[in-house]
Amino acid sequence: MNNLFVYCELEEAGRVAEVSLELLTKGRTLANELKCQLEAVVIGSRLQGVEEQIMPYGADRVHIFDDTRLYPYTSIPHTVILEKLFRTEQPQICLMGATVVGRDLGPRVSSTLISGLTADCTSLEIGSYTDAKEGKTYENLLYQIRPAFGGNIVACIVNPKNRPQMATVRQGVMKKEVLDARYQGEVLNHKVADYVCDADFVVEVIERHVEKAQNHLAEAPIIVAGGYGVGSKENFDLIFDLAKVLNAEVGASRAAVDAGFVSHDRQIGQTGLTVRPKLYIACGISGQIQHVSGMQDSGIIISVNNDPDAPINAIADYVITGEIEEVLPKMIKYYKQNTK
């Protein structure tokens, strides 16, 4: 009762999604602060041993629902299972990945339970809230922090009364970290028939196609990113050229994406991806907080900018002042000459 739950999404071959492991890490920290247990929910097929992927991250209990009809994901049975489980367990918090599955499942569950949900959170904290109108202070609430109004402000959302407090988080926002490889929790293998009926499986997946990701920014050790200061879509080709010789991925600021220089799936920042590469080369990026929040934990940051006072220079380890058209070709030429 009143514990913190993480819905663990499954990928191919029964592998728990990276974002779910990241949320387990964050969930363990929040649960410690709240002095409650961390519980995980796994719904799928052929889940024998799945708890071994989850418990090292500090899960005290793992709820398993194993049925051949539960994978691939379909909305109705997953929603019904979580709804009934939550009515019994009454968690105070539930976290999910802001994935295709999480964005479908989270709103359905929160709507059914009338609990509310905050999507795409960039930070989760525990704190108090005083309702001036009621003259009442609520303790140990989940601060659901996320960008609003196109990333121009950061909103802190609280849910004082309804439970569970629900939030989704994108992959890469939270840091994944094993608590104890030998951590032991309790495994609860639930009888699926107690939660769903045959009618809940009215939708059947006949054939499933998964499109491969166009990039691997979240896991890339080196990222070359361009901003509005690159100047044009043609100039952005220099970003791709440098990335090619460095075996790096290409990222972009929101301004560059909005200008049509590059596709949205490469956007880094509050309204895009959060990345932690070993090396981040920021080209023509001013360094507004919306972008910086998505890459500030990079190992080494190199800024290439014609403005010596650009805000991003303040967090950069190295600053190269100059025009993109002049600097990048020299970097490409130098790297090629010294890697033969």
Side-chain angles (χ1 to χ4, degrees):
M1 295 291 184
N2 294 321
N3 289 329
L4 190 155
F5 277 62
V6 173
Y7 171 80
C8 291
E9 186 176 333
L10 293 174
E11 296 179 343
E12 298 293 337
R15 186 173 69 253
V16 177
E18 285 289 304
V19 65
S20 300
L21 301 179
E22 293 167 1
L23 289 176
L24 285 168
T25 300
K26 182 62 178 181
R28 181 68 270 169
T29 301
L30 296 175
N32 289 345
E33 192 169 348
L34 291 168
K35 295 180 175 58
C36 70
Q37 289 191 325
L38 172 64
E39 306 196 32
V41 183
V42 191
I43 305 173
S45 175
R46 299 175 183 175
L47 300 181
Q48 185 176 3
V50 71
E51 68 275 6
E52 296 174 4
Q53 300 180 56
I54 295 171
M55 286 184 181
Y57 294 89
D60 298 302
R61 302 174 82 198
V62 180
H63 299 265
I64 297 177
F65 296 84
D66 194 340
D67 190 294
T68 55
R69 298 171 295 176
L70 290 173
Y71 187 87
Y73 168 86
T74 53
S75 302
I76 297 175
H78 282 241
T79 300
V80 171
I81 287 173
L82 280 190
E83 175 205 341
K84 292 184 178 179
L85 178 66
F86 287 176
R87 289 192 188 281
T88 301
E89 298 293 334
Q90 298 182 356
Q92 59 176 309
I93 294 172
C94 173
L95 306 179
M96 295 183 182
T99 62
V100 172
V101 170
R103 286 174 173 148
D104 177 75
L105 180 61
R108 291 175 182 272
V109 175
S110 66
S111 176
T112 302
L113 298 176
I114 316 176
S115 66
L117 178 147
T118 302
D120 295 329
C121 292
T122 54
S123 182
L124 299 170
E125 300 173 9
I126 301 299
S128 61
Y129 167 73
T130 299
D131 188 319
K133 191 173 182 179
E134 292 184 351
K136 183 178 180 180
T137 298
Y138 296 87
E139 301 291 344
N140 295 325
L141 292 180
L142 179 67
Y143 285 2
Q144 301 155 61
I145 302 167
R146 58 151 295 155
F149 292 100
N152 292 312
I153 66 169
V154 176
C156 182
I157 300 167
V158 293
N159 182 356
K161 298 179 181 179
N162 296 37
R163 295 293 180 271
Q165 302 164 87
M166 296 184 64
T168 65
V169 180
R170 297 185 188 190
Q171 181 178 341
V173 172
M174 304 300 172
K175 188 176 181 180
K176 181 182 74 172
E177 188 173 345
V178 171
L179 177 69
D180 183 348
R182 295 172 294 180
Y183 196 91
Q184 290 297 314
E186 180 184 2
V187 179
L188 293 89
N189 289 290
H190 294 273
K191 187 177 179 181
V192 174
D194 291 341
Y195 289 80
V196 295
C197 62
D198 290 340
D200 293 325
F201 295 99
V202 64
V203 176
E204 180 182 354
V205 178
I206 304 299
E207 190 173 346
R208 185 169 182 253
H209 295 276
V210 180
E211 184 177 348
K212 291 185 178 180
Q214 298 298 309
N215 61 67
H216 301 282
L217 276 168
E219 302 87 20
I222 304 175
I223 294 175
V224 183
Y228 188 75
V230 171
S232 67
K233 191 172 184 179
E234 291 69 32
N235 280 354
F236 221 93
D237 289 340
L238 290 171
I239 305 292
F240 282 94
D241 292 342
L242 178 58
K244 185 176 180 181
V245 299
L246 294 175
N247 293 317
E249 286 286 351
V250 173
S253 68
R254 176 171 178 169
V257 171
D258 289 346
F261 296 167
V262 70
S263 59
H264 180 269
D265 62 325
R266 296 187 182 276
Q267 183 175 320
I268 294 170
Q270 281 185 340
T271 52
L273 296 170
T274 298
V275 296
R276 295 182 178 85
K278 295 179 181 178
L279 173 62
Y280 190 91
I281 304 176
C283 306
I285 294 176
S286 63
Q288 297 302 315
I289 186 62
Q290 293 92 333
H291 181 77
V292 169
S293 66
M295 46 68 69
Q296 60 188 349
D297 291 330
S298 302
I300 296 175
I301 300 172
I302 299 175
S303 171
V304 181
N305 206 297
N306 60 7
D307 179 7
D309 298 319
I312 199 165
N313 294 349
I315 67 166
D317 298 283
Y318 302 95
V319 176
I320 301 174
T321 304
E323 300 293 337
I324 298 297
E325 301 92 322
E326 297 177 3
V327 175
L328 295 197
K330 291 180 180 179
M331 293 177 71
I332 293 169
K333 181 180 178 181
Y334 181 84
Y335 185 82
K336 286 181 175 178
Q337 288 176 343
N338 289 273
T339 54
K340 292 182 178 178

